[in-house]
Amino acid sequence: MISLNRSIYLPNEIDVFHHHISHSVPFSCHSGYSLLRDPHYNKGLAFTDKERDAHYLKGLLPPTVISQDLQVKKMMHIIRQYQVPLQRYMAMMDLQERNEKLFYKLLINHVEEMLPIVYTPTVGEACQKYGSIFSRPQGLYVSLKEKGRILEVLRNWPEKNIQVIVVTDGERILGLGDLGCQGMGIPVGKLALYTALGGVRPSACLPVTIDVGTNNEKLLNDEFYIGLRQRRATGQEYDELLHEFMTAVKQNYGEKVLIQFEDFANHNAFDLLAKYGATHLVFNDDIQAGTGIAELIALEISKQTNMPVDDARKKIWLVDSKGLIVSSRRESLQHFKKPWAHDHEPIKTLLDAVNDIKPTVLIGTSGVGRTFTKEVVEAMASFNEKPVILSLSNPTSQSECTAEEAYTWSQGRAIFASGSPFPPVEYEGKTFIPGQANNAYIFPGFGLGLIMSGTIRVHDDMLLAASEALAAQVSQENFDNGLIYPPFRNIRKISAHIAASVAAKAYELGLATRLPQPKDLVQYAESCMYSPSYRSYR
């Protein structure tokens, strides 16, 4: 059906999160030449002859018609030609700007190969060089220049029905430090995973970078730097900008929009979470890492053993740059470290702490590379039959130790996982597949669970529910192979189970607003997930 203004009419993109769907409400989109330039609707050579006829595409494409699967095969062939990961990243970003559905189809079908390209570790290098590789802007930039007009800025974004915002201020990008405005690569990459791995519609995702300046001299002197050329704003000026942003988001997108704080420096991250946790749907998977990991482990120990949480915390010891966190240091500690200051004499080094405390599990989240030395790993292996070594800092250059080191130094006995991927390791005739303890296992399904249940606040129990759901997806076969994570290739199924558990917890806590509760939450989660397959245009 063609209208006089040469628009395509499609049945309305169904917003799967509404039960009352009005059918075939038409909306208009480009046709002809501009249709081929619209990444949301462009199908390239997959437009059928009939579609080319109906939508003024005759002659604008070569005559052949090919399937989306063949397009995926061709794109993978092109991408694999590039030896340099950053070039692969740029090719993927280019594809996302040209043909959105093909980008997601490719990412989903080849998730294990493409995840390290669009996310850690390559996205870190992309952020460092963002000014030099910057071509077409992605996401929304909110800078100090826009103070007092942030609502207006949000309204410039073309999509009105936003369900997830990932926002950074660029101060602590991965383990790479202050990258200012160039941190945008992180929200863009993260939201691509919300869609590919968690099935949240791309049009419902909004990447945001808040630019308050940067303290990175190299960037301030870089002629290609894309952000404000000034030192970072702090204190009241910073707080006011953030508050205006948070208020505008709620005003523009309502109470149920999920806001993920991403790669903020610790001093702001904890404050923001505490300040907005009671009024907005917010979480931060970085600091709900570090001490957050410790807190969740303590909650789970308490839950499984009926031990008071305070006692469970005493089973967990933290080491920072000054050594073991002990009670004699309590006065000088940041507030979030205080619960972990136990009675013990001061110990300066990680090695001495490991030898004294004899932990079964060693978790690195400091962003400082090479801290799990040969001596540390050998010590872990000396009093554990199977020491668990988790080097979670990103990107690969900041990992506490490599997979090869962990397996070699533990004589092949370590259970190892890292934040960025490592290749398989041969040790004494046995092949070890390192696990990837990537937050990409959790946040896409976590977000989907919050969205599909219309949850209005994030509660710690939901993070626990997500973790338990992920653990339940690990098979005996995975364990036998030394893996404590399920393989990434099943990630959409895993995300559906995580979403269902998070939603179930939200309903149980009375924080879900989408009523009545669906009978089968896993099935409902799967039905809510975005599909990157092409649709027929009539």
Side-chain angles (χ1 to χ4, degrees):
M1 179 166 88
I2 297 294
S3 77
L4 293 175
N5 68 353
R6 296 194 166 191
S7 298
I8 287 186
Y9 280 101
L10 302 175
N12 198 18
E13 275 281 7
I14 293 167
D15 182 351
V16 287
F17 304 108
H18 291 296
H19 290 306
H20 312 293
I21 295 164
S22 56
H23 288 285
S24 67
V25 178
F27 77 98
S28 114
C29 96
H30 307 298
S31 67
Y33 187 75
S34 52
L35 173 57
L36 297 178
R37 299 277 173 292
D38 183 335
H40 306 303
Y41 303 108
N42 176 30
K43 301 199 286 188
L45 291 178
F47 280 111
T48 63
D49 284 335
K50 204 170 156 193
E51 286 171 333
R52 295 178 192 201
D53 235 0
H55 303 304
Y56 305 90
L57 296 172
K58 281 286 183 200
L60 301 182
L61 292 163
T64 189
V65 174
I66 65 175
S67 68
Q68 190 178 22
D69 287 338
L70 192 60
Q71 287 180 315
V72 168
K73 185 178 175 183
K74 176 183 151 187
M75 270 314 298
M76 284 307 295
H77 179 72
I78 291 170
I79 284 168
R80 285 172 181 149
Q81 302 286 311
Y82 294 117
Q83 296 306 304
V84 180
L86 189 62
Q87 290 178 323
R88 292 183 170 192
Y89 172 89
M90 289 164 72
M92 282 298 279
M93 290 302 102
D94 186 52
L95 177 61
Q96 190 179 12
E97 289 297 308
R98 203 171 63 242
N99 182 334
E100 188 176 79
K101 282 202 155 79
L102 186 56
F103 169 83
Y104 285 112
K105 184 84 166 174
L106 191 141
L107 189 48
I108 291 165
N109 288 9
H110 297 273
V111 64
E112 287 173 296
E113 185 177 348
M114 297 319 297
L115 196 64
I117 300 299
V118 299
Y119 195 46
T120 55
T122 311
V123 72
E125 186 189 354
C127 288
Q128 287 175 308
K129 300 175 178 170
Y130 215 68
S132 314
I133 65 173
F134 184 83
S135 53
R136 187 177 294 196
Q138 292 175 291
L140 201 59
Y141 293 86
V142 175
S143 78
L144 283 167
K145 283 184 182 172
E146 280 79 54
K147 202 164 186 285
R149 302 177 63 180
I150 293 178
L151 187 60
E152 202 181 307
V153 172
L154 287 180
R155 288 185 174 148
N156 286 344
W157 189 252
E159 303 291 347
K160 300 304 168 219
N161 183 11
I162 299 297
Q163 291 170 331
V164 192
I165 291 172
V166 176
V167 58
T168 188
D169 71 351
E171 189 167 4
R172 192 207 59 82
I173 296 296
L174 303 175
L176 302 169
D178 185 348
L179 299 183
C181 200
Q182 299 191 169
M184 181 57 100
I186 298 287
V188 168
K190 229 158 198 165
L191 285 165
L193 302 193
Y194 264 104
T195 296
L197 316 185
V200 180
R201 282 182 299 112
S203 59
C205 297
L206 174 57
V208 177
T209 293
I210 294 184
D211 184 359
V212 295
T214 178
N215 295 338
N216 184 327
E217 290 299 334
K218 193 170 162 226
L219 290 179
L220 289 171
N221 296 317
D222 178 354
E223 63 178 336
F224 297 132
Y225 180 57
I226 57 174
L228 292 177
R229 286 177 196 275
Q230 63 178 67
R231 311 286 297 172
R232 264 185 187 277
T234 55
Q236 190 182 348
E237 190 180 14
Y238 180 89
D239 295 343
E240 283 174 1
L241 189 75
L242 264 292
H243 191 67
E244 187 191 342
F245 171 73
M246 294 300 287
T247 309
V249 162
K250 200 163 166 179
Q251 193 179 333
N252 210 33
Y253 302 120
E255 181 135 46
K256 290 182 282 198
V257 65
L258 171 62
I259 303 159
Q260 180 174 346
F261 293 125
E262 184 61 35
D263 286 353
F264 282 78
N266 277 350
H267 59 99
N268 287 323
F270 285 96
D271 293 346
L272 287 169
L273 205 56
K275 183 171 181 183
Y276 295 106
T279 56
H280 291 66
L281 181 67
V282 292
F283 81 109
N284 178 325
D285 67 2
D286 299 311
I287 57 165
Q288 287 169 308
T291 53
I293 291 176
E295 185 62 28
L296 286 177
I297 292 172
L299 288 173
E300 189 69 8
I301 290 173
S302 155
K303 191 171 151 186
Q304 289 194 21
T305 62
N306 291 326
M307 180 191 289
V309 176
D310 282 351
D311 293 349
R313 285 194 189 102
K314 293 191 171 67
K315 308 259 180 220
I316 301 163
W317 295 82
L318 270 58
V319 174
D320 64 9
S321 58
K322 296 182 177 63
L324 192 66
I325 291 180
V326 292
S327 38
S328 59
R329 290 179 52 195
R330 187 169 272 131
E331 289 314 302
S332 63
L333 289 173
Q334 290 155 294
H335 67 88
F336 52 88
K337 294 180 184 176
K338 284 184 172 32
W340 310 99
H342 309 319
D343 293 336
H344 198 287
E345 69 274 5
I347 295 183
K348 280 279 186 283
T349 70
L350 176 61
L351 178 60
D352 290 341
V354 164
N355 277 320
D356 200 88
I357 289 181
K358 298 194 167 32
T360 50
V361 181
L362 189 59
I363 304 175
T365 61
S366 65
V368 181
R370 329 304 305 151
T371 43
F372 293 176
T373 59
K374 184 168 190 274
E375 293 74 24
V376 167
V377 175
E378 284 175 347
M380 284 293 291
S382 70
F383 44 76
N384 290 302
E385 190 198 336
K386 291 205 170 226
V388 179
I389 312 276
L390 305 178
S391 308
L392 304 188
S393 293
N394 280 323
T396 321
S397 58
Q398 304 309 118
S399 192
E400 283 77 8
C401 69
T402 66
E404 188 172 5
E405 289 166 347
Y407 293 122
T408 308
W409 295 339
S410 65
Q411 288 121 26
R413 289 188 284 121
I415 303 285
F416 176 82
S418 56
S420 289
F422 281 103
V425 175
E426 287 277 334
Y427 178 77
E428 293 192 350
K430 193 173 174 208
T431 302
F432 293 89
I433 311 280
Q436 202 186 334
N438 196 313
N439 54 17
Y441 273 115
I442 290 281
F443 71 78
F446 187 74
L448 178 65
L450 297 172
I451 292 167
M452 75 185 207
S453 56
T455 299
I456 51 171
R457 298 288 175 269
V458 171
H459 192 283
D460 267 353
D461 284 355
M462 295 173 190
L463 287 158
L464 264 191
S467 310
E468 288 169 3
L470 175 60
Q473 295 293 307
V474 186
S475 67
Q476 189 55 49
E477 186 193 355
N478 297 149
F479 284 131
D480 295 343
N481 292 330
L483 291 175
I484 50 174
Y485 288 86
F488 248 115
R489 61 180 172 275
N490 303 334
I491 187 65
R492 275 171 80 97
K493 177 175 153 289
I494 294 163
S495 292
H497 280 273
I498 290 173
S501 294
V502 170
K505 185 54 73 176
Y507 282 108
E508 187 191 313
L509 294 170
L511 293 168
T513 61
R514 203 165 301 284
L515 301 167
Q517 176 178 344
K519 285 192 181 55
D520 183 335
L521 283 168
V522 176
Q523 200 184 339
Y524 182 62
E526 285 172 343
S527 75
C528 288
M529 291 172 98
Y530 163 85
S531 161
S533 300
Y534 290 143
R535 300 169 52 192
S536 296
Y537 300 164
R538 59 170 193 263

